[in-house]
Amino acid sequence: TTLRLDMSRQDTALPNVRTAYDRQRFSTGARLNTKLGGWAFQAGFRHKESERVRTSRTFVDVPSWNTYDARLSKQIGGGSRFTLRGSWDDLTES
């Protein structure tokens, strides 16, 4: 079983449209990997924020969202594998 935690911050100048760009991006996350019998299980969570400003340097917005994902897999013989996976994005601030 492993648990991974990560945090990142990026200072950028990427244009979204002609009149605005991303100034900073923040990201935090956690991921759990484990084996349960013959099954492999992974679950993750990630929170992201992107600070955008106008080209005139005035504030636009800070959208933030969470992403949840999970994966369950098992070797079922004959070189075949069964995998069930899903993810969900949740916009918390638009």
Side-chain angles (χ1 to χ4, degrees):
T1 300
T2 60
L3 176 63
R4 188 186 84 205
L5 304 171
D6 62 84
M7 295 172 57
S8 69
R9 174 184 163 177
Q10 297 174 347
D11 294 323
T12 61
L14 299 174
N16 292 335
V17 294
R18 275 186 197 265
T19 58
Y21 65 94
D22 280 358
R23 182 169 63 183
Q24 291 179 335
R25 293 180 179 172
F26 303 96
S27 176
T28 57
R31 175 157 302 282
L32 173 70
N33 295 315
T34 190
K35 298 264 185 185
L36 304 168
W39 294 87
F41 177 72
Q42 296 179 19
F45 167 79
R46 178 156 307 281
H47 175 79
K48 293 182 181 181
E49 296 180 5
S50 182
E51 186 176 283
R52 297 188 296 179
V53 295
R54 291 187 182 95
T55 53
S56 63
R57 305 269 192 245
T58 57
F59 177 75
V60 176
D61 61 1
V62 182
S64 65
W65 61 98
N66 297 323
T67 302
Y68 306 90
D69 66 88
R71 177 180 171 171
L72 185 65
S73 63
K74 181 176 181 155
Q75 191 78 25
I76 56 175
S80 299
R81 175 178 297 275
F82 171 79
T83 302
L84 178 66
R85 78 173 69 166
S87 67
W88 179 52
D89 290 325
D90 177 27
L91 181 64
T92 57
E93 297 285 331
S94 59

